[in-house]
Amino acid sequence: MTQPALAEDPNTVEQHAFESAAAEFGVPAPLLMATSFQLTRWEDHNGQQSKAGGYGPMHLTDLDLEQLRSEHPKLVKLADHPTLHTLDEAANLVHVDPEQVKGDLTQNIRAGAALLAARAEALGGGALPNTIGGWYPAIAELSGSPQASGAQSFADSVYDVLGQGRARTTSTGQQVAFAKIPAVVPNRDLTGTRLENIEAAPGPEPECPATLDCQYIPAAYVPTDPQDPTGGYGNYDTANRPDDVRIDSIVIHDTETSYQEAISVFQNPAHGAASHYVIRSSDGQVTQMVPTKDMAWHAGSWDRNMHSIGIEHEGWAAEGGTWYTEQMYRSSAELVRYLADEYDIPLDRAHILGHDDVSADKPEQAGGEHYDPGPYWDWAHYMDLLGAPLDGDAGGDSVVTIVPKFDTNEPPITSCPADEPCVDLPAQPANFLYLHTEPRDDAPLLSSPTVHPDGSPGTTKIDDWSDKAVTGRQYAVAERAGDWLAIWYDAKKAWLRDPGGTNTTPADDAELVTPVRDQIPTYGMAAPDPSEYPAGITPPNLKPLQYTVPVGQVYVAGDPAEAGYYYAVYDGVNDPNNHTLVVGSEVYVPISYNHRWVYVKESDVKSAS
């Protein structure tokens, strides 16, 4: 009598998919798994696209060039690159619709294995390598980096993991593992690959504390079209900071992709973005990619890019608790202390920013800003590591710092992927307090005109920043009512639970400002007036943001900023105005307006301290 087949363990589907795909396409299973581990840590992110444009455990890419162009105006011409479109190539190899490969874990792994095998066969004259070490050049090509340094860094990391073995349970409960394969000697010769003659100029020694594990791999600074340097370039602008432009802040990001993949995409000028540093989750290793004197394109704001240093942390905001390790926190804090000392940056939350604190430069971009490092980044612990604890006595009469107890603060948070139903994220410690329209739990959550242009209430969505006050941010007190506190936020009274002052601490030494007239405008840039630009430099189209400040309201103010705009183009273009700092006569004041900082003109406000 035939025995019925045993049902597959739902928690080992991914393990079996790797083993099956490896056998089907002739790829050593541990090598395929090590490659995927370094691409995505075996996460599929429910079929959603990573910030680097990849899908599934094999991070198969499909980037929209028009979207890249809209997000990065210096990509004047839409240069293309094969690393931006591996999804279609891989899907064709397995004869599966690319849409299915995006979201079907098994088909994604099959397609990725087929792509790796195709790369190896192309390099081997139609034959697969006969040793595990012989797969090195194909893995380097699969890295996504168009530069040899980044591709070799990725391939080296795959072979390091191969020699150690790995076992991990993914965020969706998949149990994946492979045993270590010791003494593998990789063939690091890239002759015959598309990488052998592609390399950036050698970078400098990394700007890091001597005690950190720190390396330098250069980000792209090349035209997107080598035949036309006027047609756009990436992924940063050269400068001579702080001699020409002050550095006054550090912006904390998460990668929304793996450490190695972030390094790879920052080496591709068509990506249109890079940060100064990237930090690995597992051990806190630091890779510098842009000199701090230069302006990396990291903040989605030219105003903030001009004045800041960007640090990417490996991880996904919606899974932050599993990615933000103690090793990462400590490495990051040590690096930030070093940079703050070097550039005289105050260690407070007005200068150590999250990407979610940064406003768009222009009104048409407002509401679509990033929200990383997200709700699961432990700002209180991080500021402790920086030697700048967010402590104080309970309560506060005029200004408070938001300080919910991270370990016990577990508000409901939902994730709503595009074209998918919303799901509740697992309960875990978070760094924010919800804001209500009235002092009661059943009152609607606060709304913002940029996030909810239809006027609907705020939501518990992870990317809805209209109704969240984050740890370390300071706000002026508007009113108290029992266990509730109202702060001035987004031109409204925003109510948060604060029984006995347990969720706030006083900050009564903060500078406060209030409008001298009703409905003063706010700005995303502290830019000069158009009349103050020299001939040959087109002024940015500076318009007020959608936000205004009513008379009678009070906001925490940052350091006054002289209007300034740094004009930069690719150094290979003959532009006599390149590297010109335009200084204006206006003085702007940053204010803690809502979830983000915005500017007001100093002439439009007066002190309320």
Side-chain angles (χ1 to χ4, degrees), residues 409-423:
N409 184 51
E410 296 187 355
I413 303 174
T414 54
S415 177
C416 302
D419 302 320
E420 298 285 339
C422 294
V423 295

Side-chain angles (χ1 to χ4, degrees), residues 367-432:
E369 300 100 327
H370 289 223
Y371 63 93
D372 56 306
Y376 305 127
W377 179 264
D378 189 348
W379 277 111
H381 178 52
Y382 191 60
M383 299 306 291
D384 282 346
L385 292 174
L386 292 178
L390 304 171
D391 53 14
D393 298 326
D397 293 332
S398 59
V399 184
V400 292
T401 303
I402 306 298
V403 286
K405 292 178 173 57
F406 185 78
D407 291 342
T408 57
N409 184 51
E410 296 187 355
I413 303 174
T414 54
S415 177
C416 302
D419 302 320
E420 298 285 339
C422 294
V423 295
D424 294 332
L425 294 175
Q428 58 185 298
N431 61 21
F432 72 91

